[in-house]
Amino acid sequence: MSFEWIVRILSENWPMFLRGAGTTLYIALIGTILGAVIGLLAGVIRTIPLPERGAKRIGLKVINALFSTYIEFFRGTPMIVQAMVIYYGSALAFGMDIDRLFAAVFIVSINTGAYMAEIVRGGIVSVDKGQYEAAQAIGMNHLQTMFHVVLPQVIRNILPATGNQFVINIKDTSVLNVISVTELYFTTKSISGNNFRYFETFFVACAIYLIMTVIVSRVLRYLERKLDGPENYTMTDKQLEAR
């Protein structure tokens, strides 16, 4: 490895590396946010109690079966295969010319949604049943209980898993080079194809990926600490007087 070549590659191609890293972060961030929304919706719907009989019971069972199929398919197949099937398959089967960046965000979103659906469902199930009973006792229905009592706790509890999924998405966007999305890996491959210094070029890309994931991890840990509040809660003089 030549340190001089690393400096030269970085100095000559930093705008391309920057654009590639920006595209990677954009796809990972939007895909994680949309995937979390999908996961929340799926988690809430899949935890709706089934009525004993009637059309509503049949409808919920059908929806749950569809969600289960969706989750099993996207958790059980590699993202690189999903990208090929969705982008090229839609063009061959339906003649659709999808924008590559839109396709990338869509693929990451639905893939993340499948994982987040199970994470959210686990978070909902982990909430103490007594809170459900207390909410029902004051007249709340299932959706009111979810949005006012359960989900605020679930969102805090699943934040570490969501952050971990974001970090995974930053790295997994590299597979989207198969549909020619100009993210960091695709950009690095193009640069190395021009200078034939593969080791040094991908060493730079490795350092950029590491910097991005470390920064994201630190920011997410900071947010977790903020949501946790102070470790030692001390009552003020006014609060003591009120007692």
Side-chain angles (χ1 to χ4, degrees):
M1 181 178 69
S2 172
F3 180 75
E4 291 78 10
W5 265 104
I6 292 176
V7 174
R8 179 177 174 181
I9 290 169
L10 190 56
S11 61
E12 291 179 353
N13 301 282
W14 68 266
M16 293 182 65
F17 281 118
L18 188 62
R19 283 195 297 271
T23 302
T24 291
L25 280 175
Y26 175 80
I27 295 171
L29 178 60
I30 301 301
T32 303
I33 292 173
L34 294 178
V37 172
I38 294 171
L40 282 171
L41 290 174
V44 171
I45 293 173
R46 296 181 76 203
T47 54
I48 296 176
L50 287 174
E52 293 184 0
R53 61 180 66 86
K56 186 177 179 180
R57 176 182 176 86
I58 297 173
L60 282 175
K61 291 189 75 171
V62 171
I63 292 173
N64 285 334
L66 291 174
F67 272 124
S68 297
T69 303
Y70 155 70
I71 291 168
E72 291 299 326
F73 178 80
F74 284 99
R75 291 179 68 196
T77 56
M79 189 189 292
I80 190 170
V81 176
Q82 296 165 16
M84 297 286 284
V85 170
I86 291 172
Y87 184 75
Y88 294 113
S90 61
L92 290 173
F94 307 106
M96 299 173 61
D97 185 16
I98 306 175
D99 179 76
R100 287 185 172 87
L101 186 59
F102 175 82
V105 172
F106 178 75
I107 292 161
V108 174
S109 299
I110 57 177
N111 183 276
T112 303
Y115 287 94
M116 290 303 302
E118 287 298 286
I119 292 172
V120 171
R121 188 179 66 85
I124 292 174
V125 171
S126 68
V127 175
D128 188 82
K129 291 183 178 180
Q131 298 192 35
Y132 293 94
E133 296 171 356
Q136 291 173 359
I138 62 174
M140 286 187 178
N141 58 31
H142 180 75
L143 289 180
Q144 290 173 328
T145 303
M146 282 289 146
F147 286 104
H148 295 291
V149 179
V150 179
L151 287 185
Q153 301 175 66
V154 170
I155 291 172
R156 169 59 191 91
N157 291 338
I158 68 171
L159 184 60
T162 305
N164 184 58
Q165 190 64 45
F166 183 25
V167 172
I168 291 172
N169 284 342
I170 290 175
K171 296 180 291 182
D172 282 356
T173 52
S174 59
V175 305
L176 297 172
N177 78 94
V178 297
I179 59 173
S180 301
V181 177
T182 54
E183 40 71 52
L184 182 56
Y185 178 83
F186 184 89
T187 301
T188 305
K189 190 168 65 171
S190 300
I191 294 171
S192 62
N194 291 328
N195 59 28
F196 299 104
R197 305 293 299 197
Y198 293 94
F199 185 85
E200 290 85 352
T201 306
F202 278 95
F203 181 84
V204 172
C206 181
I208 295 172
Y209 275 116
L210 182 61
I211 290 170
M212 289 193 296
T213 55
V214 168
I215 291 175
V216 168
S217 298
R218 295 295 182 272
V219 170
L220 290 170
R221 288 176 187 172
Y222 173 78
L223 291 176
E224 288 175 30
R225 289 195 297 269
K226 282 294 183 181
L227 289 175
D228 285 338
E231 294 182 1
N232 299 314
Y233 178 72
T234 303
M235 298 182 69
T236 64
D237 293 337
K238 290 184 178 180
Q239 289 172 320
L240 290 172
E241 290 173 3
R243 296 178 64 190

